[in-house]
Amino acid sequence: IIPKQNKKRSCSDMNKLGKTVAFEKQGDNMELLKKSKITIAITLSLIGCLLILFFSSCGGESELFLEQYERRNAIKDNEGNQYKVVYESKDRCDICVYKSTDGQNWNKIGTIPSHGYEGYKVWGYSLTCEDNNILSFVYVGIGKGGKTIYFSKSLDNGSTWTEPVAVNDDIQAQRSYPKITSKGENIFIAWLEENERSSIEGGKPSGIYFSSSSDGGRSWNENSWIREGEDFWITVVENETICLTYVGGKMQNIGYLSYSRDRGKNWQTETTGELSTMVREPYTIVKNGLIYLIFQGTIPTTVHFRPGTSLNHQVYYLKSADRGKSWSRIIRLREKGVIK
């Protein structure tokens, strides 16, 4: 029987083993460090992408608002054709409709019947085209009750138009600047009205008036007074809510929002309160439950009150998450949004 021999490692063997273990640990640490760096790099990259998306979305939102505001008066059908109205004065005032496929070259396609009613462009008019490609037009002419709001529409892309129908009540008053919007057979019109008799004498109050039709404009409901105001815009937003946005205040620095959820039978009005800027040409956009009030504003100084001095307006907006009860701070859109 050969006895087992106890082999003892020499010091050199132990040193080699220690170096091997240390090297392996160092390698593990290096690998861990490398993985940590990769993880950090990926995390930072993701954060950077999120920040880019955030800021680009903010910029995109501003660009969208600015584009919609600048094109708020452009009339287009579903095929991209554009329409405009031209007042041509001859023996009587002819209201002609022009069409363009590129926004540069325009062709006359129809004439809105006026039956000799005296009417002028400066009294105001409004043209709209809804999703069903029906063109609707509202204007002011001399007829029923003095200055009268007339409505006409076209079912064949502006070639022929229906006979004008009077919208306002048969009351003598000065009417101007009608605006129109529609949703299917429901048509909504607002205008400014200045009554010639005071309320003490039995007349209606002056201000913004509203009327609606539920049969495509063949008949119109009784006119309703919204409140005093000017420079308004009317539109239909989510859930068929009618929104009226307009300007008030002695310094014209208050924005008003009146809205109706029952086709104009009842109205609720909210206000921005006095703003630091004068307000003109307000416009409403509703997106994701938020109301955006876009307008042209300027901060007046004593210089602006000198005769012949023009105001430099820029485009701003406010937003509200509670239907106008409270508003954000004023946000100015990009410099290219300046309106000369």
Side-chain angles (χ1 to χ4, degrees), residues 275-277 295 315-318 327-332:
L275 302 175
S276 58
T277 64
F295 61 93
V315 181
Y316 299 86
Y317 75 89
L318 306 166
W327 295 89
S328 70
R329 63 181 179 84
I330 296 179
I331 302 169
R332 184 165 66 91

Side-chain angles (χ1 to χ4, degrees), residues 269-286:
T269 299
E270 305 293 348
T271 174
T272 62
E274 292 190 353
L275 302 175
S276 58
T277 64
M278 296 176 65
V279 178
R280 77 174 188 183
E281 299 188 30
Y283 178 75
T284 306
I285 295 176
V286 176

Side-chain angles (χ1 to χ4, degrees), residues 11-123:
C11 291
S12 59
D13 292 336
M14 294 297 291
N15 290 334
K16 288 180 181 180
L17 180 61
K19 289 179 179 179
T20 301
V21 173
F23 181 77
E24 290 177 352
K25 287 184 178 180
Q26 185 178 4
D28 292 341
N29 291 337
M30 291 296 291
E31 187 67 25
L32 181 61
L33 180 61
K34 186 186 295 185
K35 290 181 179 179
S36 299
K37 289 182 177 180
I38 293 174
T39 303
I40 293 171
I42 293 174
T43 303
L44 291 175
S45 177
L46 289 173
I47 292 173
C49 290
L50 290 173
L51 288 173
I52 291 172
L53 287 173
F54 172 77
F55 287 113
S56 63
S57 65
C58 292
E61 187 177 72
S62 297
E63 292 294 332
L64 176 64
F65 291 162
L66 189 57
E67 181 180 359
Q68 289 190 30
Y69 185 78
E70 290 176 341
R71 297 184 180 182
R72 65 194 182 281
N73 293 314
I75 309 302
K76 287 186 177 182
D77 62 20
N78 292 338
E79 286 73 43
N81 300 309
Q82 300 183 44
Y83 300 87
K84 69 178 180 180
V85 168
V86 177
Y87 278 66
E88 297 180 353
S89 298
K90 295 179 181 179
D91 296 335
R92 57 189 177 89
C93 189
D94 291 330
I95 306 174
C96 302
V97 182
Y98 285 74
K99 179 180 178 180
S100 173
T101 58
D102 57 7
Q104 301 295 326
N105 302 296
W106 295 85
N107 298 312
K108 182 178 176 180
I109 58 172
T111 301
I112 298 172
S114 61
H115 300 298
Y117 297 144
E118 183 182 4
Y120 299 96
K121 179 180 178 180
V122 294
W123 291 350

Side-chain angles (χ1 to χ4, degrees), residues 236-299:
V236 179
V237 296
E238 297 173 353
N239 301 321
E240 296 189 1
T241 300
I242 309 168
C243 278
L244 261 172
T245 312
Y246 48 99
V247 180
K250 292 182 179 179
M251 296 295 294
Q252 296 183 347
N253 63 337
I254 301 176
Y256 286 90
L257 173 67
S258 295
Y259 61 89
S260 172
R261 303 179 188 177
D262 54 9
R263 300 178 182 177
K265 295 178 182 178
N266 298 284
W267 293 85
Q268 182 172 339
T269 299
E270 305 293 348
T271 174
T272 62
E274 292 190 353
L275 302 175
S276 58
T277 64
M278 296 176 65
V279 178
R280 77 174 188 183
E281 299 188 30
Y283 178 75
T284 306
I285 295 176
V286 176
K287 182 180 179 183
N288 298 327
L290 297 176
I291 298 176
Y292 295 87
L293 175 60
I294 307 173
F295 61 93
Q296 296 178 41
T298 186
I299 301 176

